[in-house]
Amino acid sequence: MSDIELYELPGCPYCAKVKRKLDDLDLEYEVVQVPASHGDRDAVEELTGQTGVPVLVDEAHDVEGMPESDDIVAYLETTYGDGAA
Ligand SMILES: N[C@@H](CCC(=O)N[C@@H](CS)C(=O)NCC(=O)O)C(=O)O
């Protein structure tokens, strides 16, 4: 099982951007599809205090719920990209 989980909504362009980065970096990840209704996104709200997706979880690096696609893409690049330590 992968340590990386992506909370996403099908058709969400911000989620697609993150998935492209995950695929570019050849990372394995599990997709967790959230309900279309914001009011039903309890798991996302518990993780991040807000209901927007995408949200990334990366247990290997103690990331327990990162929102904002730009932040996630930057995090993935820094952590797993060419320049990663
Ligand atoms: N600035 C955010 C925008 C994300 C966003 O608008 N996601 C939509 C789905 S495509 C959503 O979940 N909106 C609900 C919300 O923001 O609470 C990002 O880049 O991640």
Side-chain angles (χ1 to χ4, degrees), residues 11-74:
C12 165
Y14 305 99
C15 304
K17 180 171 70 178
V18 171
K19 286 167 89 171
R20 269 200 304 279
K21 177 53 81 176
L22 286 162
D23 292 341
D24 283 353
L25 295 171
D26 222 5
L27 294 168
E28 280 185 31
Y29 60 98
E30 311 259 329
V31 166
V32 181
Q33 285 192 4
V34 304
S37 164
H38 289 209
D40 292 335
R41 296 183 191 170
D42 296 345
V44 174
E45 194 162 13
E46 256 177 49
L47 286 172
T48 65
Q50 52 92 64
T51 57
V53 289
V55 166
L56 188 88
V57 174
D58 184 2
E59 286 181 5
H61 292 90
D62 294 325
V63 174
E64 292 173 1
M66 178 185 288
E68 287 300 325
S69 57
D70 286 344
D71 292 347
I72 297 171
V73 166

